[in-house]
Amino acid sequence: MKYDGRTMPELATDHKNRLIAVIEQRQALVGVVGIGYVGLPMAVEKAKVGFRVVGFDRNADRVARVNAGTSYIKDVSSEDLAAVVGQGRLVATTDFTRLADCDVVVICVPTPLTANRDPDISYIMAVAEQVAASMRPGQLICLESTTYPGTTEEVLLPRLETSAVKVGREFFLAFSPERVDPGNARYTTKNTNKVVGGVTPACLEVARTFYSQTILHVVPVSSPKVAEMTKVFENTFRAVNIALVNELALLCDRMGIDVWEVVEAAATKPFGIMKFNPGPGVGGHCIPIDPFYLTWKAREYDFHTRFIELAGEINVQMPYFVREKVIRALGEDGKGLKGSRILLVGVAYKRDLDDWRESPALKILEILERDGAEVRYHDPLVADFSWGGHPYRSTPVADGLAWADCAVIVTDHSGIDWTDVVTRARRIVDTRNATRDVPVGREKVTKL
Ligand code: SAJ
């Protein structure tokens, strides 16, 4: 087999072309570190087009479920997963020494914040040590975790490069941000444009070749920093615009204007605007977190990211605004928060997901309980969760509404019968305008 006019043995010393050859022939062994909502869809997509894929995770339960072909990620069907596992194209392991076998290593580990809201790149650092320990010439390493500009070249590169193993020669290093919108059926890993920045031109060439095997449109940029900044900008754009519409909700409440009507009317403008909705707060593991990676890095340059911090302040206030709305709603019935019964309808951080991490529902629950209310919840997608050391279990909606003095709609799951909710509820605080199409019982409903 010849490639580029040369035999494979000749290529052996030319790592870039050998790697490109095995990628294009789908012979490359792909390692995906972190098989979560980003890593698992990526792993399945690569396996579907013929790559052999090894999913690495410290979570033995996830590893076992992948190897059993049972998906735990909403956007990956167990059918698709079982198929590639059954064909022997995807296997999962907790044995990170097998990274040495991989031609390509894609890192999709979490990048949370510490308790005082500084970046926590400990997951990236841990993987960097594991990759470095099993490093061999001829590997492509791609970081996908959302992080501050500079991480790839300032944190990963020094840990991977040695005097004998040089980036762009013996190994290739790139950053390519994940762009996953959990629950979005229209845009998937395959048809979502992928930005890629390589440490060297050779790194970019290899990384572009890799991603082009399964992604329709790959967008090369001049450096990993540009790619890292692109991603943080994307999430900051959302955080700031959500905060803008949340601030509008606070003002409209004071002015007696229906913010939902304003948002809908503004959305009729055919250009120059993008619709965002006010809400009970901003959840998930991206929008409330990623912008603060940039805030932290900007300080190094004596720069204060005022928009990001202001957006964070406003978004963090929304659960407290929900509390104020609940107090007003209960007041209509001569009740106060203390001793009242509140049913949260929906605890997931956004519609039609079962993910309650960083959900505003958790802060609303905490605030209302602290004020002496008794709080239960109903969420058809979240059977139970634990928060503040307490277990919570979803209450059937009819029982919950019969029990509650006030229902608070926190997540507007499309599978909930909102007419039934309004009919059964005594009082409702609707933080998502989920009841907009319910004509009956409007007198019971207090909108954000
Ligand atoms: N939210 C609002 N009002 C809005 C939009 C969202 O209150 O108008 C709230 C949601 O309820 C949720 C939070 O903000 O609690 C985040 O919403 P999101 O739709 O941004 O959801 P994520 O974090 O799951 O996904 C986002 C991606 N979302 C979209 O592009 C629609 C995208 O920004 C990133 O690819 C992804 O984070 C990520 O992984 O970074």
Side-chain angles (χ1 to χ4, degrees), residues 107-178:
I107 302 171
C108 308
V109 294
T111 45
L113 292 176
T114 63
N116 50 7
R117 304 184 72 71
D118 287 337
D120 174 1
I121 58 167
S122 59
Y123 293 90
I124 292 180
M125 305 274 278
V127 174
E129 302 308 332
Q130 287 155 331
V131 172
S134 51
M135 197 85 184
R136 61 165 171 79
Q139 286 182 312
L140 166 66
I141 313 294
C142 294
L143 177 61
E144 294 217 353
S145 307
T146 305
T147 184
Y148 60 81
T151 305
T152 302
E153 290 157 296
E154 297 165 13
V155 175
L156 266 184
L157 182 56
R159 283 163 177 77
L160 301 182
E161 191 170 50
T162 64
S163 54
V165 180
K166 294 302 252 184
V167 71
R169 196 182 65 196
E170 278 78 29
F171 79 102
F172 307 93
L173 180 60
F175 182 84
S176 180
E178 55 90 359

Side-chain angles (χ1 to χ4, degrees), residues 37-38 146 178-182 184 231 234-235 238 242 245-246 275-288 290 349-351 353 360 432:
Y37 82 96
V38 174
T146 305
E178 55 90 359
R179 275 178 171 172
V180 174
D181 180 22
N184 188 324
K231 175 64 184 177
E234 288 167 12
N235 282 4
R238 291 187 65 72
I242 293 166
V245 76
N246 279 336
K275 183 182 174 188
F276 287 87
N277 291 310
V282 175
H285 25 281
C286 309
I287 308 308
D290 298 341
Y349 80 85
K350 76 174 186 180
R351 175 186 314 136
L353 284 190
R432 300 287 193 173

